[in-house]
Amino acid sequence: MSFETYPIKFQPILKSKIWGGQKLKDVLNKPTQYTDIGESWEISGVEGDVSVISNGIFKDKTLSDLLYAHGNDVLGERLFAVFGTKFPLLIKFIDAKEDLSIQLHPNDELAAERHNSFGKTEMWYVMQADPGAKLIVGFNQEVEAEGYLKHLEEKKLTELLNFELVEAGDTFFIEVGRIHAIGAGVMLAEIQQTSDITYRIYDWDRVDDQGNSRELHNDLAIDAIDFDMPDDYKVNYQTLENTSNSMVSCPYFKTSIIPLKGSLEKPNTFDSFIIYVCVEGEATISADGVSETMKTGETVLVPAQAHQISLQSDGARLLEVSV
């Protein structure tokens, strides 16, 4: 099949979680009858959870199929040389009805050595937060491994942790080694490296309906925690209309926000695929003249081969992601 450039949509992969709720269904209109949906994987190349295309000439093909057949066109020459047929990012929406476990992710070196995986650098964009909802990001004081382990053993870990009261639009950069947790009442968009490696260190002593606790990974986690990490996790950014306002730029991804009202023409100067995540409103996106509509909670992939991108809306906010 020949390659055709257009905004590619995917079927969401929905994940039932012990802490999940109904916002992904009720607010973002994800198709499910379940009431404990914690995650919607929007674009995934994770083995066993590879996204399926839902529109256009490649409909019903998987993301892996597309990369095997047209990897250079989709990723661009630079990224295809690095990643081949492995898609480098995982895009999710997350709804926490209850607190998630306190956790962290290993860096590339540890993840490769232990799990044959990438590490997991990620960022969060808060789409909605109930009054009083919080996130845990980092420590609230200087701490070394010995003090950390003492608090963990005495079930006083939360005394060391930084709790952030959040509202829509708040953005956080979660580097590898940084302890974090999404709190009850928060719905957010997550952009991360392609990895599903998480080290749980505390799960609030919760059990499932069979009385079983979830597995913890404290033996693995102690070597992965960065105790010297600065408190630079909250992202400050501008919101100039019809402009790509930079939010996060790291070796694994670059994310901007576009408050869109009217029309915006964007030549593709990224030398990368571009992902657009609609976090508010509705927009029309065109790639080389082929258009798709995006609503809140929808995500599209624009292949690197696209030359010209057009965005139009009466009022929307889009996250723009490239590598």
Side-chain angles (χ1 to χ4, degrees):
M1 185 177 286
S2 63
F3 187 74
E4 180 178 307
T5 300
Y6 66 96
I8 300 171
K9 286 186 171 183
F10 297 87
Q11 299 172 16
I13 301 169
L14 302 178
K15 300 283 188 175
S16 174
K17 298 289 184 179
I18 193 171
W19 41 261
Q22 289 188 272
K23 290 178 184 176
L24 300 184
K25 173 186 174 184
D26 295 344
V27 179
L28 301 188
N29 298 308
K30 299 301 175 183
T32 179
Q33 72 272 31
Y34 297 106
T35 58
D36 62 347
I37 298 301
E39 298 183 354
S40 176
W41 291 21
E42 296 292 297
I43 303 180
S44 168
V46 175
E47 187 175 350
D49 284 298
V50 178
S51 294
V52 176
I53 297 168
S54 63
N55 69 331
I57 190 174
F58 300 117
K59 184 177 180 179
D60 297 327
K61 301 286 186 184
T62 69
L63 178 57
S64 295
D65 293 335
L66 188 65
L67 295 182
Y68 275 110
H70 305 287
N72 202 56
D73 295 310
V74 176
L75 298 181
E77 289 185 12
R78 172 178 60 90
L79 295 181
F80 187 63
V82 176
F83 295 102
T85 57
K86 293 183 177 180
F87 195 71
L89 297 182
L90 172 57
I91 311 296
K92 299 179 182 177
F93 295 117
I94 297 177
D95 168 31
K97 183 180 179 181
E98 300 177 12
D99 295 331
L100 272 68
S101 63
I102 299 172
Q103 59 188 242
L104 66 140
H105 309 296
N107 61 28
D108 284 345
E109 291 73 27
L110 276 178
E113 178 186 333
R114 294 174 175 174
H115 313 286
N116 190 30
S117 171
F118 294 120
K120 191 176 176 183
T121 298
E122 62 189 21
M123 66 164 282
W124 295 334
Y125 176 87
V126 177
M127 296 175 66
Q128 185 272 336
D130 297 346
K134 298 177 181 180
L135 302 173
I136 293 173
V137 191
F139 295 109
N140 61 20
Q141 58 191 276
E142 288 189 10
V143 62
E144 295 181 352
E146 185 178 351
Y148 162 82
L149 289 171
K150 186 173 187 295
H151 280 76
L152 186 65
E153 184 180 348
E154 296 175 355
K155 295 189 182 297
K156 295 180 179 178
L157 179 62
T158 55
E159 294 179 2
L160 297 176
L161 302 181
N162 174 58
F163 288 78
E164 292 269 349
L165 195 66
V166 294
E167 59 185 19
D170 285 348
T171 300
F172 296 85
F173 182 47
I174 313 297
E175 292 188 75
V176 289
R178 176 168 279 156
I179 287 178
H180 60 277
I182 302 172
V186 177
M187 181 177 71
L188 55 78
E190 179 176 279
I191 291 125
Q192 60 158 94
Q193 289 176 268
T194 290
S195 171
D196 200 29
I197 305 300
T198 294
Y199 294 163
R200 264 186 232 108
I201 57 176
Y202 183 59
D203 197 34
W204 312 102
D205 300 317
R206 121 179 93 197
V207 295
D208 63 20
D209 51 12
Q210 269 80 49
N212 300 312
S213 301
R214 291 202 293 171
E215 182 183 5
L216 300 180
H217 312 96
N218 285 302
D219 289 347
L220 293 171
I222 190 63
D223 292 336
I225 298 171
D226 188 342
F227 291 103
D228 298 322
M229 189 168 284
D231 59 352
D232 58 353
Y233 32 75
K234 191 165 185 181
V235 177
N236 295 311
Y237 61 93
Q238 294 184 302
T239 54
L240 301 176
E241 196 171 90
N242 296 336
T243 298
S244 296
N245 300 275
S246 178
M247 303 172 88
V248 170
S249 181
C250 70
Y252 306 104
F253 54 82
K254 298 176 177 64
T255 302
S256 299
I257 191 165
I258 303 175
L260 182 64
K261 191 169 180 63
S263 298
L264 178 61
E265 297 290 327
K266 293 180 67 67
N268 184 0
T269 59
F270 290 85
D271 189 24
S272 163
F273 62 86
I274 307 165
I275 294 170
Y276 288 98
V277 184
C278 187
V279 293
E280 183 181 318
E282 182 177 325
T284 299
I285 177 168
S286 300
D288 291 347
V290 182
S291 299
E292 281 287 346
T293 299
M294 296 181 66
K295 297 180 179 179
T296 303
E298 293 189 328
T299 305
V300 300
L301 171 68
V302 177
Q305 186 66 23
H307 298 101
Q308 186 71 22
I309 300 164
S310 302
L311 305 171
Q312 187 165 9
S313 176
D314 293 331
R317 285 190 173 222
L318 306 177
L319 300 183
E320 180 181 65
V321 185
S322 61
V323 175

